[in-house]
Amino acid sequence: MKVAPMAHTPQPAEVIDGRYALSGQPAKERYGRAFRARDRKADREVHVYVLDAENGALTGSRLSAFQSSHPAFPRLHHVGGPFHGRPYLVFEPPAGAPPRSDLHRILAPEVIASVIDLLLGAVGFLHARDLAVGPLRTSRVFLSERGGRLAVQLPEVPFELLRPLPQRLLRDDEHPPYTAPEVLASESDLSVASDLFAVGAVAFELLSGATPFSENHADGARSRGREGSLPRLPEKVPRGLEELVRWLLSSDPDVRPLSAWDAHEVLHDAVSSLPSVDPYEA
């Protein structure tokens, strides 16, 4: 997508459409600028994302995924514009913060398994709408406590879905420890299989405190997931849970689970203490 320069750069204290009062310095994102703001009409804090240009990726199926009430994604309140010729999106603020690096020492593997289950539910929700999550890594997973239980949110996913179709990984999104080898090798678009690989990499890090792979270029990624090449997880991790993580990290995308729901079922078989809740309705 060609990005035209923004003719007018929104400034702190500026008010969009007489309603959204911007505050703080804008964060430059790939497709625009993100602001914290106050919705004067609804009397609530929001995040406003002003796009650099008209975006053909703003299709009904993509927008509807974030107008839903799925707890893993910031809710899309409003699509507006033009604001100085540019559309803008209004989201609820993200909840939580990235997990601590020593989470595996603080929480039991069975508790971390509940986080993995919520991640699978989130990506499965998108896959049911023919959407891929794209670049996912541990620092982009926000954890919080809700009703006495851990909750997961992926606050950057809505912005990743602004990329045009087919969803390809951009060069500055290459994070080899989390990116499927077939994507790094430019042999595949982002897919269900590549998303599940990323979930496996995040799961490995949450359970061990370290990423499963350290290659920093695509060439070394081709051998990932081969039998014996993955480090072992700590002994306290249930065997069935470790086997699931290794399955998600298979180097061959055809060997990985067919869907997030398949992985969800195997996870519940491996960790009996997980709450028996139904997956979010697709």
Side-chain angles (χ1 to χ4, degrees):
M1 179 183 67
K2 293 183 179 180
V3 178
M6 188 176 284
H8 169 80
T9 302
Q11 299 296 323
E14 192 166 356
V15 179
I16 296 180
D17 288 348
R19 176 171 179 174
Y20 302 107
L22 307 181
S23 64
Q25 293 301 314
K28 181 68 177 75
E29 304 288 348
R30 181 173 297 110
Y31 300 121
R33 290 170 173 81
F35 292 84
R36 295 185 178 186
R38 183 77 185 175
D39 182 344
R40 292 177 169 179
K41 182 176 180 180
D43 191 25
R44 63 189 175 192
E45 299 299 317
V46 295
H47 281 198
V48 175
Y49 192 94
V50 182
L51 301 182
D52 282 332
E54 290 291 343
N55 192 300
L58 291 177
T59 62
S61 63
R62 292 188 178 195
L63 293 177
S64 65
F66 303 107
Q67 290 168 324
S68 71
S69 57
H70 195 290
F73 308 110
R75 191 170 203 173
L76 176 63
H77 291 311
H78 178 63
V79 180
F83 173 69
H84 294 282
R86 301 291 183 256
Y88 65 88
L89 309 175
V90 181
F91 286 95
E92 68 178 356
R100 294 171 45 162
S101 60
D102 60 350
L103 193 71
H104 63 292
R105 295 193 181 99
I106 301 170
L107 299 179
E110 291 78 8
V111 178
I112 295 176
S114 68
V115 175
I116 300 168
D117 197 32
L118 291 171
L119 278 175
L120 289 170
V123 300
F125 176 86
L126 292 180
H127 294 164
R129 289 154 178 78
D130 296 322
L131 301 172
V133 176
L136 175 67
R137 54 188 185 272
T138 306
S139 62
R140 293 185 173 188
V141 176
F142 279 29
L143 300 183
S144 62
E145 189 174 338
R146 191 179 301 164
R149 295 170 62 178
L150 282 174
V152 167
Q153 196 168 81
L154 306 176
E156 295 189 29
V157 166
F159 305 134
E160 296 302 337
L161 294 181
L162 293 174
R163 70 175 71 240
L165 291 172
Q167 286 179 258
R168 285 276 183 176
L169 192 71
L170 302 180
R171 179 63 60 180
D172 58 347
D173 277 332
E174 287 189 0
H175 298 280
Y178 308 96
T179 306
E182 70 275 10
V183 175
L184 278 176
S186 299
E187 296 171 352
S188 173
D189 297 332
L190 299 171
S191 65
V192 169
S194 65
D195 281 349
L196 293 179
F197 183 97
V199 171
V202 170
F204 189 101
E205 186 172 3
L206 293 177
L207 289 165
S208 69
T211 57
F213 307 105
S214 59
E215 294 97 343
N216 57 7
H217 53 82
D219 292 340
R222 292 179 181 273
S223 63
R224 289 185 183 162
R226 289 179 181 169
E227 188 173 354
S229 66
L230 272 174
R232 293 300 303 271
L233 287 170
E235 290 185 4
K236 64 180 181 179
V237 176
R239 182 174 179 179
L241 178 55
E242 178 168 12
E243 289 176 349
L244 171 64
V245 173
R246 299 177 79 87
W247 186 24
L248 292 168
L249 291 171
S250 298
S251 59
D252 184 348
D254 293 332
V255 174
R256 293 174 210 146
L258 292 177
S259 71
W261 306 129
D262 288 344
H264 161 89
E265 291 180 355
V266 172
L267 179 60
H268 277 252
D269 288 340
V271 183
S272 59
S273 61
L274 283 173
S276 57
V277 295
D278 293 330
Y280 287 105
E281 194 172 41

